[in-house]
Amino acid sequence: MSDFRTKKKSSVEEARVEHIESYGETEAKTIVASHELTTDTSTDRKAEAQLRWKIDLYVIPTVALLYALCFIDRVNIGNARLAGFERELGLKGYDYNLVLSVFYIAYIIFEIPSNMACKWIGPGWFLPGISVVFGILTICFAFVRDLKTACGIRFLLGVFESGLLPGIAYYLSRWYPRNELAFRLSLYIVMGPLSGAFSGLLASGILRLDHFGSTRGWQMIFSIEGIITVGCSLIAFFTLTDRPETARWLSQDEKDLALARIKRERVAATEVLDGFDRMKIIRGIANPVTLSTACILLLINITVQGISFFTPTVVRTIYPLNTVISQQLYSVPPFIVGAVFTLFFCGIAWRFDRRNVVMLVGAVITGIGYAMFLGSSSTATSLRYGATFVGAAGSFAFGALCNAQVSANVNSDTARSSAIGFNVMLGNIGGLIATWSYLPFDGPNYRIGNGLNLAAAGIIVVIAVLLEIWMNRDNQRRELVDAEQVLSGHNLQEAQDLEWKHPEFRWRL
């Protein structure tokens, strides 16, 4: 990595002159120093590839495990339902849907504040900390005895789980540039469908036990899985590195390269981790791509969370004569297919540095799956079971793709944290809707739930096409803008606060 710090004088001199004209001598020095660093990194592709591989090995496993545990602790209530949870608590009518809904109410309320707290505290402490708490709450859920207590604990579970998915997405944006981010996000998002599959396998294994301590039946699912979460989260305090500068496993040259990889994408940026800035927070949320992508995530989350919570219920209507353990096992394969296609779609997005068109294709596949279910009769068991595979294949990648798209189309670290938080917050409104999409009276055809998912997929197709057209046209318009004229009279801070309105900013498709 000896070539890393070698200067490219002509390029640096051009940057110096350009920024003196725009910002003045003092502020230009800071930008030029960044320009030197970001220019040098492009000369050593081998060093960058080695660094990327090293980050993958040290960062991804811990966050993937935390998200897997989070997802299991969220959806295991679907497995518990098959094991008698509703019957023992005396739940009737829509009580089960209510228990699911309060989780998402908390999730939505605390999404943006949690991501702001993640930036303030630091992901290295924040992410393991909230994981320990929601693990403890999962254990507590094993001892609920009535609807009110169940709703209370699920609400608290939503409070503490709300920070994990957007927090990890924000955390990974500290390590990876935009073209690499979608696939790395998929490496933890894929733990959602894998955990959904594993949750069914784990529940079927746990239910074979006579008891675990003082817990029996469905209670064992929560107590055992909660203990596993707490144990792994405590270990994460020691394995999760907050940011490149504090990574003991990186050399100084590697730390500089890691920072330069991020900085070179950020228009007018002089630092990777900026302080809180109200204007940047607002611009991160009021970004047209953030708003559009968040709507897409809202719509697809109706499907994703519906699959997560109700697949065991749907499988029970397809194979009503099977044993509970058999029904649990039948709920596993659709999640595995969803996991495979998550990696496939995000790998394509990484290869071509395109996310919007991949979401368009995923929405079409999802719509086909629900059209299959709606067009079949209750006796067409193989077709209906196959439809659950198609729906899962098209939908699970959106969590990674949407967060990557939002992250790619903001500039500063502060804007990124607010944009990702807003994206996931709006997305989880879809999760709230999903809790009421599969209602008891609507089985076994579930025309309301499946029709809603089909309609959502269709709307996503429309949004994705319109967004693709608008981003291309706006980039063409920006090419005709005189950046020097627009920036005249702006100091460095004012130029940074422009965010996506900066004349040199370009939308990333």
Side-chain angles (χ1 to χ4, degrees), residues 59 72 176 189 218 225 274 283-284 397 399 415 448 455 489:
V59 171
I72 288 174
Y176 297 101
I189 293 291
W218 63 267
E225 292 176 359
D274 57 327
R283 288 266 162 84
I448 294 175

Side-chain angles (χ1 to χ4, degrees), residues 129-437:
I130 61 174
S131 299
V132 168
V133 177
F134 67 65
I136 293 172
L137 289 169
T138 300
I139 297 171
C140 293
F141 200 83
F143 301 98
V144 299
R145 292 294 179 269
D146 55 53
L147 176 62
K148 290 182 179 179
T149 308
C151 287
I153 293 181
R154 287 291 291 187
F155 183 87
L156 292 175
L157 191 69
V159 171
F160 287 95
E161 284 201 5
S162 66
L164 196 71
L165 190 152
I168 294 175
Y170 162 67
Y171 174 59
L172 293 184
S173 74
R174 290 184 169 189
W175 295 88
Y176 297 101
R178 62 177 175 82
N179 64 312
E180 298 171 4
L181 188 59
F183 186 71
R184 270 67 193 183
L185 290 177
S186 76
L187 294 177
Y188 88 87
I189 293 291
V190 74
M191 301 307 292
L194 285 179
S195 298
F198 183 68
S199 181
L201 291 172
L202 184 59
S204 63
I206 290 173
L207 291 173
R208 295 179 187 273
L209 300 175
D210 180 58
H211 66 91
F212 177 76
S214 61
T215 60
R216 296 179 180 273
W218 63 267
Q219 296 175 312
M220 296 190 296
I221 295 175
F222 295 103
S223 59
I224 292 175
E225 292 176 359
I227 289 171
I228 294 172
T229 297
V230 172
C232 293
S233 301
L234 290 173
I235 296 172
F237 277 109
F238 301 96
T239 60
L240 204 62
T241 303
D242 195 62
R243 59 190 186 277
E245 303 97 302
T246 61
R248 292 187 297 272
W249 40 271
L250 291 178
S251 67
Q252 188 57 51
D253 277 353
E254 289 172 328
K255 291 177 182 179
D256 291 340
L257 178 56
L259 292 172
R261 278 161 36 89
I262 304 302
K263 193 181 296 184
R264 69 188 177 200
E265 298 186 323
R266 302 189 179 178
V267 177
T270 58
E271 55 188 351
V272 173
L273 298 182
D274 57 327
F276 278 102
D277 185 309
R278 184 174 62 87
M279 182 55 67
K280 290 178 182 177
I281 292 173
I282 294 172
R283 288 266 162 84
I285 295 173
N287 181 312
V289 173
T290 298
L291 295 172
S292 302
T293 306
C295 289
I296 289 175
L297 189 59
L298 184 158
L299 291 165
I300 201 64
N301 243 10
I302 298 174
T303 298
V304 171
Q305 301 305 328
I307 291 172
S308 302
F309 286 120
F310 295 105
T311 292
T313 301
V314 173
V315 167
R316 183 170 60 185
T317 66
I318 297 174
Y319 301 106
L321 302 180
N322 290 40
T323 65
V324 170
I325 291 178
S326 174
Q327 291 169 349
Q328 298 276 16
L329 293 175
Y330 265 110
S331 70
V332 171
F335 288 99
I336 295 176
V337 170
V340 171
F341 273 84
T342 295
L343 294 177
F344 173 74
F345 281 135
C346 293
I348 294 295
W350 177 26
R351 171 67 178 82
F352 295 101
D353 194 15
R354 297 288 298 272
R355 292 154 295 276
N356 199 53
V357 69
V358 178
M359 289 190 280
L360 174 61
V361 173
V364 171
I365 293 174
T366 301
I368 291 171
Y370 287 97
M372 288 170 58
F373 203 106
L374 285 168
S376 63
S377 66
S378 58
T379 58
T381 56
S382 296
L383 182 60
R384 290 197 161 188
Y385 189 51
T388 65
F389 286 78
V390 180
S395 60
F396 273 103
F398 276 77
L401 292 170
C402 288
N403 280 314
Q405 182 75 327
V406 166
S407 181
N409 285 285
V410 293
N411 198 45
S412 66
D413 187 74
T414 296
R416 185 166 283 101
S417 65
S418 65
I420 292 174
F422 176 81
N423 181 54
V424 179
M425 181 201 76
L426 205 64
N428 279 293
I429 294 176
L432 179 60
I433 296 170
T435 62
W436 295 93
S437 59

